[in-house]
């Protein structure tokens, strides 16, 4: 009897492998399949695969590259007048091959160990998978997690700040823990500005995650915000951002000049490709691994004084990780994604009040 063998949960950027078994093993059997998104019953893809020796497999990961939140799907397979349906959830992001091998050898998966584990560090930050997460104060952003099955408390200096209970949730949601807001609330209520936050499972005295907010190593208005390997946003500080080389492309044509009765060179259009130079300092191996996640991201934004610009970040030279503990400096080339065909000064003020007083002269300021 035809049977679909698959997991209940997958990461979109890793193989989404589903096996089809129980078919006739003495001949080649054509198996038609239909992939449907559950929430709106939209058929994503229909196709046919051929089973040899009674079984075959599908890798559906190409269909999930663009998802940004947990999404439910169903797969229906039909072959030799038999059919079966398998329902599963696909989550954004993925893990590297080394970690996949380690988990496979241990008979575990990333959901069991981390993402759906209420007794471990389940936060979607790639700064650290261990109990301790260190975040410079100027790189602080909301920390995301998947809600279903989670029940925990957040404490600072022993004081309960907030509690979360999603044990009975029927739907999987992507939620965030905004430590910046919690710090402001704590400061308003007590006058304290806590740097250390602990996460405890409900009715437990064992801390599963400690988030330490450290002082900024150096004041810098420049950051790269990126979508990490779990599909959520984080940011990292960069240094020494300078205006650098801009490449120019010219589209020239020959044009007939009636005055000279000859063809002369004429420019049809021109484009400028702005590129910036910067550096990134990794003080330890944990910071370096976090920087590597940024460099492998397909979505990157340059933040300058709070304004965001979509960019592509490239490494200028090989990255050397030392064993002596010496900070690693990474040279970066930051390419703005927009090619400019015209130039405008960027010092335009959006303030429309140019005077001190109103149009009708009086002593009241605008």
């Amino acid at each position: 009897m035809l049977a679909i063998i698959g997991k209940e949960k997958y990461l979109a950027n890793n193989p989404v492998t589903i096996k089809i078994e129980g078919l006739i093993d003495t001949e080649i059997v054509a198996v038609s399949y239909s992939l449907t998104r559950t929430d709106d019953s939209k058929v994503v893809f229909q196709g046919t695969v051929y089973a040899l020796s009674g079984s075959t497999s599908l890798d559906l990961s190409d269909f999930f590259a663009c998802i940004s939140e947990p999404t439910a799907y169903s797969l229906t397979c039909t072959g030799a007048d038999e059919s079966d349906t398998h329902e599963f959830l696909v989550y954004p992001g993925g893990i590297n091959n080394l970690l996949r091998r380690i988990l496979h050898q241990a008979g575990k998966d990333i959901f069991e160990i981390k993402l759906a584990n209420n007794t471990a560090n389940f936060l979607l930050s790639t700064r650290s998978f261990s109990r301790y997460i260190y975040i410079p104060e100027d790189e602080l952003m909301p920390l995301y997690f998947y809600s279903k099955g989670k029940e925990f408390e957040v404490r600072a200096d022993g004081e309960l700040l907030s509690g979360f209970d999603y044990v009975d949730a029927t739907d999987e949601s992507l939620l965030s823990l905004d430590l910046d807001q919690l710090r402001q609330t704590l400061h308003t209520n007590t006058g304290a500005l806590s740097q250390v936050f602990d996460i405890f499972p409900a009715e437990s005295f064992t801390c599963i995650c400690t988030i330490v907010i450290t002082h900024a190593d150096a004041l810098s208005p420049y950051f790269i915000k990126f979508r990490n390997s779990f599909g959520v946003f984080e940011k990292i500080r960069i240094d020494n951002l300078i205006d650098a080389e801009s490449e120019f492309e010219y589209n020239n044509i020959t044009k007939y000049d009636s005055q000279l009765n000859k063809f002369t060179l004429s420019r049809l259009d021109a484009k400028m490709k702005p590129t910036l130079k910067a550096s990134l300092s990794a003080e330890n191996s944990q910071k370096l691994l976090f920087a590597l996640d940024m460099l492998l991201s397909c979505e990157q934004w340059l933040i300058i004084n709070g304004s965001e610009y979509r960019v592509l970040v490239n490494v200028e030279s090989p990255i050397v990780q030392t064993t002596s503990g010496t900070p690693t400096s990474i040279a970066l080339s930051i390419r703005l994604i927009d090619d400019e065909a015209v130039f405008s000064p960027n010092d335009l003020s959006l303030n429309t009040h140019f005077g001190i007083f109103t149009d009708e002269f009086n002593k009241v300021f605008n």
Side-chain angles (χ1 to χ4, degrees), residues 72-141:
Y73 293 88
S74 66
L75 177 70
T76 300
C77 296
T78 303
D81 298 326
E82 297 176 343
S83 65
D84 192 17
T85 298
H86 177 63
E87 297 181 349
F88 57 96
L89 276 173
V90 179
Y91 294 70
I95 57 176
N96 65 14
N97 291 329
L98 176 60
L99 183 54
R100 286 176 57 208
R101 290 183 185 276
I102 293 174
L103 292 175
H104 179 76
Q105 292 170 7
K108 307 288 185 180
D109 63 33
I110 191 63
F111 295 97
E112 181 181 357
I113 294 296
K114 178 174 174 64
L115 302 183
N117 189 349
N118 198 44
T119 61
N121 173 7
F122 50 74
L123 298 173
L124 302 182
S125 172
T126 55
R127 293 180 183 272
S128 171
F129 286 4
S130 69
R131 172 183 166 179
Y132 294 94
I133 301 177
Y134 296 90
I135 308 177
E137 191 169 29
D138 55 353
E139 297 179 17
L140 194 60
M141 288 188 69

Side-chain angles (χ1 to χ4, degrees), residues 118 151-153 155 160 164-165 200-207:
N118 198 44
E151 186 177 9
F152 63 94
E153 300 173 347
R155 303 176 189 174
L160 175 63
F164 299 82
D165 181 2
F200 288 81
E203 302 179 358
S204 173
F205 297 100
T206 302
C207 177

Side-chain angles (χ1 to χ4, degrees), residues 299-331:
E299 294 186 46
Q300 301 159 327
W301 282 262
L302 172 63
I303 301 178
I304 303 179
N305 295 320
S307 298
E308 299 184 3
Y309 308 88
R310 185 73 183 269
V311 296
L312 301 175
V313 182
N314 299 316
V315 181
E316 287 286 271
S317 59
I319 299 174
V320 178
Q321 183 178 7
T322 65
T323 58
S324 61
T326 304
T328 301
S329 181
I330 304 173

Side-chain angles (χ1 to χ4, degrees), residues 251-360:
N251 185 9
N252 298 328
I253 61 173
T254 56
K255 187 177 181 180
Y256 179 71
D257 189 330
S258 59
Q259 294 180 347
L260 301 179
N261 191 28
K262 62 181 293 187
F263 287 93
T264 57
L265 198 63
S266 178
R267 177 165 296 167
L268 188 62
D269 59 47
K271 291 182 180 180
M272 179 178 68
K273 298 181 178 181
T275 303
L276 305 174
K277 302 291 183 179
S279 63
L280 190 155
S281 180
E283 298 81 10
N284 50 55
S285 59
Q286 195 174 69
K287 179 70 174 290
L288 179 58
L289 294 176
F290 185 57
L292 293 178
D293 193 28
M294 180 274 290
L295 294 171
L296 290 172
S297 175
C298 294
E299 294 186 46
Q300 301 159 327
W301 282 262
L302 172 63
I303 301 178
I304 303 179
N305 295 320
S307 298
E308 299 184 3
Y309 308 88
R310 185 73 183 269
V311 296
L312 301 175
V313 182
N314 299 316
V315 181
E316 287 286 271
S317 59
I319 299 174
V320 178
Q321 183 178 7
T322 65
T323 58
S324 61
T326 304
T328 301
S329 181
I330 304 173
L332 304 176
S333 173
I334 303 174
R335 169 83 160 82
L336 300 177
I337 66 169
D338 295 319
D339 293 341
E340 298 292 356
V342 294
F343 178 78
S344 303
N346 57 7
D347 55 355
L348 177 65
S349 173
L350 299 180
N351 182 10
T352 57
H353 296 279
F354 299 104
I356 300 176
F357 301 100
T358 57
D359 294 335
E360 181 180 352

Side-chain angles (χ1 to χ4, degrees), residues 43-83:
V43 176
V44 177
F45 188 79
Q46 291 178 323
T48 301
V49 66
Y50 295 90
L52 182 64
S53 301
S55 65
T56 188
S57 63
L58 296 170
D59 183 2
L60 304 174
S61 55
D62 289 344
F63 302 113
F64 311 126
C66 297
I67 68 169
S68 58
E69 60 183 0
T71 307
Y73 293 88
S74 66
L75 177 70
T76 300
C77 296
T78 303
D81 298 326
E82 297 176 343
S83 65

Side-chain angles (χ1 to χ4, degrees), residues 161-209:
L161 299 183
S162 186
F164 299 82
D165 181 2
Y166 300 100
V167 170
D168 298 325
T170 56
D171 296 325
E172 184 75 283
S173 300
L174 182 63
L175 301 181
S176 66
L177 179 62
D178 192 341
L179 291 184
D180 189 39
Q181 184 62 47
L182 288 179
R183 293 179 85 207
Q184 293 183 32
T185 300
L186 181 65
H187 184 265
T188 301
N189 295 339
T190 66
L193 190 61
S194 181
Q195 303 294 111
V196 180
F197 296 85
D198 295 312
I199 297 179
F200 288 81
E203 302 179 358
S204 173
F205 297 100
T206 302
C207 177
I208 60 172
C209 184

